[in-house]
């Protein structure tokens, strides 16, 4: 079984309900959630004039190949009403694969570890709650080390 870490985010409607619904879908369509971080409220990243996000990291264990996990995540987003209209636009739900074990995957539609996770406080705060000592397989730094060297100053607060 592979440890898979997913980042969930929502900045439209009942954000907390959407995170919970995404977890239900993940458990039904991919694998049971083993651990989950607290929920964090986060200023919008990329397009800073959008509503604040709620973000959460979940850990699951699966034997599914990474491409299958990605396909199921994309299906969950669509089933929940996600519309991809603009880069960094508001969304009901966003689910990103942060880590797929220690694998390094670089394919046209799948890059793991997530290529931006080390630059984003809204990712590293919840990830650091679950696995502060996990070593990023590309950068060879722990999540705690990545968090301490962040330049991202967006407000991220545990709720």
């Amino acid at each position: 079984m592979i440890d898979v870490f997913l980042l969930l985010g929502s900045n439209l409607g009942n954000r907390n309900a959407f995170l919970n619904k995404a977890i239900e879908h993940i458990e039904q369509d991919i694998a049971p959630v083993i651990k989950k971080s607290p929920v964090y409220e986060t200023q919008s990243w990329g397009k800073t004039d959008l509503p604040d996000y709620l973000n959460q990291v979940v850990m699951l264990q699966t034997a599914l190949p990474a491409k299958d996990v990605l396909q199921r995540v994309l299906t969950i987003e669509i089933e929940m009403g996600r519309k991809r209209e603009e880069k960094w636009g508001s969304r009901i739900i966003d689910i990103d694969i942060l880590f797929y074990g220690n694998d390094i995957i670089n394919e046209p539609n799948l890059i793991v570890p997530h290529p931006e996770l080390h630059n984003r406080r809204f990712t590293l705060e919840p990830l650091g709650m679950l696995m502060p000592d996990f070593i990023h397989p590309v950068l060879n730094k722990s999540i705690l080390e990545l968090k301490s060297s962040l330049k991202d100053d967006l407000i991220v607060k545990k709720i």
Side-chain angles (χ1 to χ4, degrees), residues 28-48:
Q28 186 175 23
D29 301 339
I30 304 172
V33 169
I34 308 291
K35 291 185 191 176
K36 56 186 177 180
S37 76
V39 175
Y40 289 80
E41 189 164 44
T42 306
Q43 288 179 297
S44 184
W45 190 94
K47 271 188 102 174
T48 56

Side-chain angles (χ1 to χ4, degrees), residues 15-40:
R15 302 168 300 165
N16 210 37
F18 286 129
L19 294 181
N20 290 329
K21 189 71 172 166
I23 290 171
E24 287 176 26
H25 279 284
I26 289 164
E27 291 193 315
Q28 186 175 23
D29 301 339
I30 304 172
V33 169
I34 308 291
K35 291 185 191 176
K36 56 186 177 180
S37 76
V39 175
Y40 289 80

Side-chain angles (χ1 to χ4, degrees), residues 7 45-46 87-88 96-99 111-124 127 136 138-139 146 150-152:
L7 174 70
W45 190 94
K87 186 175 177 101
W88 296 323
D96 291 334
I97 300 173
L98 301 177
F99 293 109
I111 300 173
V112 178
H114 190 286
E116 291 294 325
L117 78 84
H118 62 285
N119 294 321
R120 296 174 171 176
R121 185 169 303 281
F122 69 86
T123 302
L124 291 176
L127 194 55
H136 190 295
V138 174
L139 302 175
L146 292 173
L150 260 178
K151 294 185 179 26
D152 176 359

Side-chain angles (χ1 to χ4, degrees), residues 65-94:
K67 277 189 169 189
D68 288 3
V69 173
L70 174 64
Q71 193 53 53
R72 292 177 189 211
V73 158
L74 294 173
T75 299
I76 291 167
E77 288 180 343
I78 291 166
E79 286 175 356
M80 288 185 64
R82 166 95 189 252
K83 306 235 184 311
R84 293 180 184 271
E85 295 167 345
E86 64 177 310
K87 186 175 177 101
W88 296 323
S90 289
R91 57 205 66 173
I92 287 170
I93 194 68
D94 183 38

